[in-house]
Amino acid sequence: MSDERAHDTASESKTSNGNLAAPDVANDEGSENDPVFAQEQQHLSDTYATLRSMAGALAVKMRKNEDAAAATKQQMVEEIKQNYGSDTEAFETYADFATVNSVIDSYNQTQDAAAEKLSNIGLLLSQPYFAKIVLDFKRGAAPKELYIGAAGVSDDSCRRLVVDWRSPVAEVYYNQDMGPTHYRANGRTIAVDLTLRRQFDIVRDELRAYFDTNIAIQDSLLLASLSKQRTSQMQAITATIQKEQNAVIRHEDSPVLLVAGIAGSGKTSVLLQRIAYLFYQHRENLRPEDVFLITPNPVFRHYIANVLPDMGERNPETLTLAEFARTLLPQGQGFGKGIVDEATLWRIDEALESGRFEYEPGDFCDIRVGHVKLITQAQVHQVRAKWPRIEPGARLSNLMREELTRRLDSRLASMAASDEAFDEVVSLTHDEQLAAFGEPVNIDDDKEVRKAALKLIRERFDIAYGMIARDEWLHVDNLGRRLIGAESLPPAAWLYLKIACTGLSNSDARYVMIDEVQDYTIPQLAVLARFFPRAHFMLLGDENQAIREGGLTFAQVKSTFERLRGEVSECHLMTSYRSTPSITDLFARLLPESERMEVSSVQRESSAPRVEVFDDKDAWTEAVREAVREAGSSDEGLTAVIVPWKHEATKLVAALGNDAPQLVDATGALPRSGCVLLTLPLAKGLEFDHVIIPNASAGLFPADDRIAKNRLYTSISRATRELDVFALGELTPLLK
C-alpha cells in the first residue's frame, strides 16, 4: 500500500456538480513496506489476543462464581435454625434469611458485572476498534493514544484497551477538527490538541487498511461503507458518524429536540445512535422500557430491529402509532380516522383549566358485563360527589377508580353470597369443579362453597376491574358534546379529552422518539405529548416527505410542542449519504429553491438515472417488465418498485402478470436481494440499491400538486445507486 493511499493525502477530487468523489478504499498491498501498517497490525494482534484471553478468564470466573454462590447458599440455609415460636425468634429467623439474600445479591452483582464485560468483549471480537486518536493534554507531557470501538473495555490492570465511541473523549474524533479542540466531561471543558485521527478497516484480528486524516479531512470509512450493497436490515453507523450527525447524537438533553433532515441524511440512523448514546449516558438508571420509539410501519420496525442489539444495547419499546392507540381507544376505533383541528384541542384545555367545568350525571356510564349491571351510572355520580372540592382531572380520577374498585369488590361479594351462586357451585360436576377451581369442592362445607362461589363470580366479572382502570365509567363522547359542541369526536380528539379529564398517561417514560414526524397530525402529536408527560421528545422528519394531505410543516410541529412542552431545540441535516450525486441532484430539483442549494452528496457516482417515456401501453409494459425481470434475477443488491398507493400496485401486478415482483405488505420483511413491489407509505424510511418508478406520468404527479411533488421526491430518494423512471403518456413536468 502506498503512503498516499494509506494516509489519504490525495487531493479531494470533485464531480461536475461539486460533490466529493469517493476514493478507492486502501488495501494491504505493499503493507510489508509500511512500518506504520506493521505497527498497527501488531497492536491489533496484541489487543485481540488480550480480548480473547479476558473472555476465557471471565467465562471461567463466572462458572466458579455460580458454583460458589450455590454452595454458599446451600450451606447458609442449612445452618439457619428456623424458629417461629415467638416474635423474637421469628425476627431472628427472618434476619438470617435476609443475610442469605444479601450474600446472594452480592454474588449476582459480581456476575452481572462480569456478564456485561463479557458481552462487550464479544462485541469487540468481530472488530476490536475502528479508529485511533492521539491527544496532547499538556505541553511537554507524553501524548495519549486512544483506540475507539463499539464498546469500552479495560484490562485487568485498568488500562483502557478500547474507548467506547459514546465516551466524552471520543467526541474529538467525530468532530473532525484537527489541532486545538476540546470536549466536555463531567460538566468541564477539556482542551486538547488532536495530532492524529486514524481510521481502520478491520475484520477480527486482520488490519486491511488504515487512513490518516491529519492532512485532509476525508472520511474514507464512510465512502467505503456507502459503496457496499444495502441489506434487508439497517446497519449501525458507529464508525462513520459525521460531524453534523454527531451534533444531533450528542445534543444536550432538552424537552424537545426537532431534527429536520433531507432524504438520505441518516435521520433514522442518528435516532438509533442517539438512543444508544442515551443508554450509555444514563446506564445506571435508564431502562429500555423507559424509551419509546414510534415507527412509521411494521416493515420499518423489522428493518431497524438489529441496529441496537448489534451495538450491545436492547431495543426500546418499539411500536407504530396504530399499535399505541389500540390499547387506549375503544375497540374498533382507528387513530387515523376523522379530522379535527388543533383549535378544538385547545378549547378542551381552556374549558378544563377555567375551573368552571364540572361533571354532570350524564357524563358517567354504567359498569356492566354482558347483561349484568354491576355499578350504575347514578352510583358513579355518587362516588364523584364524595369529593366536591376536587376539580375533574387526574387526582379526582384516581380517587374515583379506588372507590369504584371497592364498590365492585362489595358488589361481587354480595353476588357470591346469594343462594343462586351457592346453588351454581353445588350443581357443578366433578370435572367442572376441577376446571373452575383446580380441585373438587366439599359441598358439605358451606364455608368452602361460599369461597368457591366468590372465586367463580370474581373470574366471571374480572373484566369489570379493567373497565374501571380504563375509566370506562366516564362518557367521553357526552363530555365532548358539552365542552366543544361536537356531536361525535374523532379518535384523536376523543383520546385527548380523556387524557385531559382523567390524567391517563405513562409517567415512567423518559424518552419518546418519533420518526417521520411530518406524517402525523397535530392532534396525534398532542396526544403523544400529553400521554408521556415527563418524557423528553426527539422528533425527526423531512417536511418535503409529507406524502398525505394534512401533512405537517416543521413550523406546525414546533408550534404544537412549544404550546404543550415548552422549549424546542432544532438541528438540521443537509448532506445526503444515501444517493449518488446524480440521483441527489434529481430529487433536489423537487425541493424549495431555498433548500436546494444546501443539499450535497458524498456518494460515489454511478450510472445516471434512466428516464423513459412511452405513448404506447404495450411498449411501456414491456420496458417495465424487462427492468423488473433483470432486477429480480440479480443477486447484487435489492431493487424496489415503488408506487404511490395500493391500487397502483394492483394495476401494475395485473399489467405484468407472472413477471410482477413480490408485493410487500405491512407485516412482511424484506428479502436480501432480488426485486420487490412496495407502496410508498411502506417504503418510507427504507433505502434500496435500485429503485424503479413504473409510472411518473403527469396524471399521477401533476406539477401544481405539493403532495404529488413530495411523493415523487420521497420515491426517488429511496435509491442509493440506480434509478429507473418510466412514464406512460406525458412525463410529469416536475422532472422536466
Side-chain angles (χ1 to χ4, degrees):
M1 178 176 64
S2 67
D3 288 346
E4 287 84 1
R5 297 179 73 187
H7 297 137
D8 212 356
T9 59
S11 62
E12 296 181 352
S13 60
K14 301 271 186 175
T15 65
S16 60
N17 62 0
N19 295 305
L20 286 177
D24 293 333
V25 178
N27 55 42
D28 61 358
E29 182 182 352
S31 59
E32 66 274 7
N33 300 317
D34 184 352
V36 175
F37 189 101
Q39 182 182 2
E40 292 292 0
Q41 177 61 70
Q42 186 59 56
H43 181 273
L44 174 61
S45 299
D46 293 343
T47 301
Y48 198 84
T50 301
L51 290 172
R52 291 194 63 178
S53 175
M54 291 171 63
L58 279 169
V60 171
K61 180 181 178 181
M62 290 178 69
R63 285 196 296 271
K64 289 182 177 179
N65 187 67
E66 187 176 351
D67 292 342
T72 300
K73 179 181 178 181
Q74 181 67 27
Q75 180 182 352
M76 293 181 71
V77 169
E78 289 175 352
E79 292 175 354
I80 294 175
K81 296 180 179 179
Q82 300 187 42
N83 192 336
Y84 305 96
S86 67
D87 290 345
T88 301
E89 291 167 329
F91 179 80
E92 290 176 352
T93 300
Y94 294 137
D96 289 340
F97 277 115
T99 301
V100 174
N101 290 333
S102 177
V103 171
I104 298 303
D105 286 343
S106 178
Y107 274 113
N108 288 339
Q109 289 174 9
T110 302
Q111 199 80 335
D112 290 344
E116 182 179 358
K117 190 170 184 177
L118 186 59
S119 175
N120 287 340
I121 292 173
L123 187 64
L124 295 179
L125 284 174
S126 62
Q127 185 189 48
Y129 45 81
F130 54 80
K132 172 185 178 179
I133 54 176
V134 177
L135 301 175
D136 284 335
F137 285 84
K138 292 182 180 179
R139 184 172 294 179
K144 286 190 177 182
E145 295 185 348
L146 300 175
Y147 289 82
I148 302 171
V153 171
S154 299
D155 63 16
D156 295 336
S157 303
C158 296
R159 179 175 63 91
R160 286 195 291 186
L161 292 175
V162 183
V163 174
D164 195 296
W165 69 273
R166 296 165 291 188
S167 67
V169 71
E171 186 173 4
V172 301
Y173 169 77
Y174 291 113
N175 283 342
Q176 301 180 349
D177 295 326
M178 299 300 299
T181 185
H182 65 273
Y183 65 95
R184 289 196 52 86
N186 300 320
R188 294 171 53 230
T189 299
I190 300 172
V192 295
D193 191 1
L194 178 61
T195 61
L196 178 72
R197 182 179 183 271
R198 180 169 290 164
Q199 302 174 322
F200 299 107
D201 180 7
I202 290 173
V203 177
R204 299 177 67 84
D205 59 348
E206 178 190 357
L207 175 61
R208 296 184 173 184
Y210 75 91
F211 313 87
D212 284 350
T213 55
N214 56 325
I215 299 176
I217 299 296
Q218 185 172 343
D219 199 320
S220 300
L221 279 187
L222 172 67
L223 298 170
S225 174
L226 295 178
S227 69
K228 296 178 181 177
Q229 292 178 2
R230 294 316 189 254
T231 66
S232 59
Q233 292 192 311
M234 178 179 282
Q235 307 297 308
I237 61 166
T238 306
T240 60
I241 294 169
Q242 299 303 291
K243 188 173 183 177
E244 67 174 2
Q245 296 173 328
N246 185 58
V248 178
I249 293 168
R250 296 175 184 263
H251 196 282
E252 64 182 1
D253 224 347
S254 59
V256 183
L257 176 59
L258 178 60
V259 182
I262 65 163
S265 59
K267 294 184 294 296
T268 303
S269 294
V270 166
L271 181 155
L272 295 169
Q273 300 286 157
R274 178 156 176 85
I275 292 174
Y277 177 75
L278 291 171
F279 280 145
Y280 177 85
Q281 291 293 105
H282 306 287
R283 53 193 176 277
E284 299 298 328
N285 53 27
L286 183 62
R287 307 169 301 166
E289 52 266 35
D290 298 332
V291 181
F292 286 79
L293 172 55
I294 313 296
T295 66
N297 55 65
V299 175
F300 184 77
R301 177 169 59 200
H302 179 83
Y303 180 61
I304 65 172
N306 289 340
V307 175
L308 284 166
D310 286 348
M311 289 191 282
E313 302 289 356
R314 287 165 52 198
N315 278 322
E317 298 291 326
T318 306
L319 67 167
T320 65
L321 184 65
E323 290 166 342
F324 161 79
R326 196 175 298 141
T327 62
L328 304 175
L329 288 169
Q331 193 171 2
Q333 275 201 13
F335 203 15
K337 300 175 182 177
I339 299 174
V340 61
D341 60 35
E342 60 268 31
T344 299
L345 304 185
W346 311 152
R347 284 163 57 197
I348 291 172
D349 288 340
E350 290 164 3
L352 292 174
E353 292 167 2
S354 68
R356 296 188 299 272
F357 172 72
E358 183 50 83
Y359 287 135
E360 296 180 355
D363 297 334
F364 301 116
C365 303
D366 298 329
I367 299 293
R368 62 168 70 228
V369 176
H371 299 295
V372 180
K373 191 181 295 185
L374 299 169
I375 298 175
T376 67
Q377 179 190 53
Q379 289 172 322
V380 178
H381 189 244
Q382 290 172 1
V383 170
R384 189 279 170 263
K386 288 186 65 175
W387 299 279
R389 297 183 179 181
I390 299 179
E391 296 177 355
R395 185 186 175 197
L396 177 61
S397 293
N398 285 332
L399 292 169
M400 290 184 66
R401 290 185 204 111
E402 293 173 1
E403 179 61 24
L404 288 169
T405 299
R406 285 192 290 269
R407 293 202 176 203
L408 180 60
D409 286 338
S410 178
R411 173 78 165 107
L412 297 183
S414 177
M415 293 171 66
S418 67
D419 291 341
E420 290 84 355
F422 187 98
D423 293 341
E424 183 178 356
V425 172
V426 171
S427 65
L428 294 175
T429 66
H430 179 80
D431 290 343
E432 288 171 338
Q433 291 178 14
L434 290 177
F437 313 116
E439 59 184 0
V441 179
N442 182 2
I443 60 175
D444 295 324
D445 187 335
D446 285 4
K447 188 176 180 180
E448 186 174 335
V449 174
R450 294 294 183 190
K451 184 178 178 181
L454 181 59
K455 183 178 180 183
L456 191 70
I457 294 296
R458 282 187 177 275
E459 288 181 354
R460 181 173 298 166
F461 298 102
D462 183 66
I463 189 175
Y465 289 99
M467 296 170 69
I468 292 172
R470 293 189 299 272
D471 301 315
E472 293 184 19
W473 42 268
L474 189 63
H475 200 318
V476 179
D477 287 302
N478 193 66
L479 284 172
R481 283 190 286 271
R482 286 209 302 113
L483 280 175
I484 57 179
E487 195 56 37
S488 66
L489 288 174
W494 187 95
L495 193 50
Y496 190 86
L497 176 55
K498 184 172 181 177
I499 291 171
C501 289
T502 67
L504 175 68
S505 67
N506 182 335
S507 298
D508 295 326
R510 299 222 359 230
Y511 294 95
V512 177
M513 315 303 197
I514 304 176
D515 205 2
E516 304 288 354
V517 69
Q518 74 282 342
D519 289 337
Y520 291 71
T521 66
I522 288 178
Q524 289 170 348
L525 293 178
V527 166
L528 291 168
R530 289 293 198 203
F531 185 78
F532 298 104
R534 298 179 181 175
H536 284 189
F537 280 77
M538 184 179 185
L539 316 170
L540 301 96
D542 178 0
E543 58 189 354
N544 297 301
Q545 292 189 59
I547 62 172
R548 292 187 175 90
E549 295 294 342
L552 300 181
T553 65
F554 271 54
Q556 290 174 302
V557 174
K558 185 179 179 182
S559 174
T560 300
F561 275 90
E562 283 178 338
R563 181 184 182 99
L564 297 172
R565 305 304 297 271
E567 181 184 357
V568 175
S569 302
E570 293 185 77
C571 292
H572 297 267
L573 300 171
M574 298 303 294
T575 304
S576 175
Y577 304 98
R578 174 186 298 152
S579 305
T580 63
S582 58
I583 295 174
T584 301
D585 283 347
L586 188 61
F587 71 67
R589 292 187 214 170
L590 303 168
L591 293 172
E593 190 171 352
S594 59
E595 298 178 31
R596 199 178 304 161
M597 299 304 295
E598 299 182 54
V599 175
S600 62
S601 171
V602 299
Q603 262 278 23
R604 293 176 183 269
E605 190 55 275
S606 185
S607 57
R610 172 188 177 191
V611 181
E612 292 189 15
V613 183
F614 299 87
D615 293 323
D616 181 73
K617 186 175 181 181
D618 290 340
W620 168 81
T621 302
E622 187 55 35
V624 176
R625 177 181 284 113
E626 182 58 32
V628 168
R629 188 184 293 134
E630 184 178 341
S633 62
S634 174
D635 293 329
E636 298 182 3
L638 182 60
T639 297
V641 182
I642 300 177
V643 295
W645 305 114
K646 195 169 182 178
H647 68 270
E648 291 296 327
T650 303
K651 287 165 61 176
L652 187 65
V653 169
L656 299 183
N658 293 332
D659 291 317
Q662 171 194 348
L663 176 63
V664 178
D665 61 19
T667 61
L670 297 173
R672 292 184 175 274
S673 61
C675 185
V676 294
L677 174 61
L678 287 102
T679 61
L680 182 55
L682 292 183
K684 291 287 293 290
L686 308 182
E687 58 186 35
F688 305 90
D689 297 278
H690 182 192
V691 165
I692 299 172
I693 300 176
N695 192 6
S697 67
L700 281 176
F701 300 99
D704 57 352
D705 188 330
R706 181 182 68 87
I707 298 299
K709 181 185 288 189
N710 289 354
R711 290 170 189 160
L712 189 59
Y713 164 85
T714 307
S715 300
I716 292 173
S717 62
R718 300 307 94 197
T720 64
R721 292 187 296 186
E722 294 183 58
L723 174 67
D724 291 337
V725 180
F726 302 102
L728 178 59
E730 182 188 358
L731 178 68
T732 173
L734 297 169
L735 294 181
K736 292 181 178 178

